[in-house]
């Protein structure tokens, strides 16, 4: 079974631009979560989607948004990029049928904002 | 809010046991997890324990949970150089939904010396 796939793996943007990151969950997983990882703040929860609906949202400004499609693939978008948005963005999927909260992570998209 | 604390660094010699400690604050935690992150990679789930258990063993890994003190530990027996990585403790606090978000500690960098 293929794991969680995130694209692109690396990207460089400049301040003020926007970026879209993509995540394909493990086949059969219907829940997708996004996390931001930085050296200063560690792992911070962005949002969680299940069946195309946002179920949970972390404390990030409205510039951060996401969506989930009917095939469970998810995208997140960051508009008006700031230097502080440079981070590793991790997507995780979960088999919603289990109530253990296990998350299976992708390798991440490393965003650098110049 | 939820707070997960862990020490930042641990160094051990190859063949010794490693013990990584974690404390959490939310007494309604349902599951507690240990994840491993190698350089340039996403997070890999190592093991998890349900909050009504006090110990779980899985090959070289032993998880101990002291619910009264809100203390979780991960013991790695016969530590190998390949175990060098960052280890994250995380808790799941479900609130009426099938899946809850995870709250992560800052991670413990384990260095294993040959």
């Amino acid at each position: 079974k293929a794991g969680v796939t995130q694209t692109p793996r690396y990207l460089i943007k400049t301040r003020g631009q926007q970026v879209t990151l993509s995540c394909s969950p493990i086949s059969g997983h219907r829940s997708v979560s996004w996390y931001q990882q930085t050296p200063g703040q560690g792992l911070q929860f962005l949002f969680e989607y299940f069946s195309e609906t946002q179920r949970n949202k972390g404390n990030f400004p409205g510039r951060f948004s996401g969506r989930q499609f009917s095939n469970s693939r998810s995208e997140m978008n960051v508009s008006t990029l700031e230097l502080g948005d440079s981070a590793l963005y991790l997507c995780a999927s979960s088999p919603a049928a289990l109530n253990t909260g296990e998350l299976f992570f992708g390798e991440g998209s490393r965003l650098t904002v110049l | 809010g939820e707070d997960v604390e862990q020490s930042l660094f641990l160094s051990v010699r190859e063949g010794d046991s490693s013990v990584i400690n974690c404390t959490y604050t939310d007494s309604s935690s349902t599951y507690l997890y240990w994840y491993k992150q190698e350089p340039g990679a996403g997070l890999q789930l190592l093991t998890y324990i349900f909050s009504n258990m006090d110990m779980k063993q899985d090959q070289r890994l032993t998880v101990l949970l002291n619910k009264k003190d809100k203390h979780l530990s991960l013991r790695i027996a016969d530590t190998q150089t390949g175990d060098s990585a960052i280890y994250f403790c995380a808790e799941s606090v479900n609130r009426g939904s099938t899946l809850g978000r995870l709250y992560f500690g800052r991670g413990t960098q384990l260095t294993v010396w040959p």
Side-chain angles (χ1 to χ4, degrees):
Chain A
K1 207 182 229 186
V4 176
T5 304
Q6 291 188 247
T7 57
R9 288 291 314 278
Y10 304 91
L11 66 167
I12 300 173
K13 293 284 188 177
T14 55
R15 278 183 299 173
Q17 287 187 309
Q18 74 161 15
V19 66
T20 299
L21 308 177
S22 179
C23 172
S24 293
I26 291 172
S27 177
H29 288 193
R30 294 167 62 193
S31 169
V32 173
S33 302
W34 289 89
Y35 288 80
Q36 182 197 63
Q37 186 178 24
T38 58
Q41 300 296 320
L43 278 152
Q44 293 191 287
F45 173 77
L46 281 156
F47 16 68
E48 177 197 353
Y49 287 89
F50 178 76
S51 292
E52 302 178 67
T53 302
Q54 187 181 87
R55 290 159 56 94
N56 274 305
K57 189 177 192 303
N59 295 324
F60 278 82
R63 299 186 296 108
F64 292 80
S65 62
R67 59 179 175 167
Q68 186 181 34
F69 302 96
S70 57
N71 62 358
S72 295
R73 192 176 69 84
S74 177
E75 286 181 349
M76 67 162 282
N77 185 77
V78 188
S79 62
T80 321
L81 284 165
E82 300 177 0
L83 295 178
D85 297 332
S86 294
L88 180 67
Y89 289 88
L90 292 164
C91 168
S93 72
S94 179
L98 294 179
N99 197 24
T100 61
E102 290 175 70
L103 297 182
F104 297 83
F105 283 85
E107 295 196 316
S109 292
R110 185 165 295 282
L111 170 64
T112 302
V113 182
L114 302 176
Chain B
E2 296 76 8
D3 215 358
V4 180
E5 301 281 344
Q6 27 180 156
S7 52
L8 294 181
F9 302 100
L10 176 66
S11 293
V12 300
R13 195 166 293 280
E14 191 174 25
D16 288 350
S17 291
S18 308
V19 179
I20 303 171
N21 294 300
C22 167
T23 57
Y24 60 98
T25 56
D26 199 311
S27 56
S28 59
S29 293
T30 50
Y31 288 91
L32 293 135
Y33 308 83
W34 285 104
Y35 281 85
K36 175 183 179 183
Q37 186 178 35
E38 296 181 12
L43 275 68
Q44 172 197 355
L45 177 66
L46 286 177
T47 186
Y48 66 89
I49 187 168
F50 188 47
S51 57
N52 70 351
M53 298 169 63
D54 52 19
M55 188 181 95
K56 182 178 181 182
Q57 188 150 5
D58 186 0
Q59 299 182 337
R60 292 191 297 124
L61 305 179
T62 303
V63 178
L64 295 178
L65 175 60
N66 181 328
K67 199 170 181 184
K68 174 176 165 289
D69 294 338
K70 299 191 183 72
H71 181 266
L72 182 74
S73 68
L74 173 70
R75 178 176 179 270
I76 305 173
D78 186 25
T79 314
Q80 302 297 307
T81 53
D83 294 324
S84 293
I86 301 175
Y87 290 80
F88 291 91
C89 169
E91 60 173 347
S92 171
V93 183
N94 288 339
R95 294 209 175 90
S97 60
T98 303
L99 298 164
R101 57 178 281 188
L102 296 191
Y103 296 86
F104 286 88
R106 298 297 296 270
T108 299
Q109 172 73 61
L110 172 65
T111 302
V112 183
W113 301 99

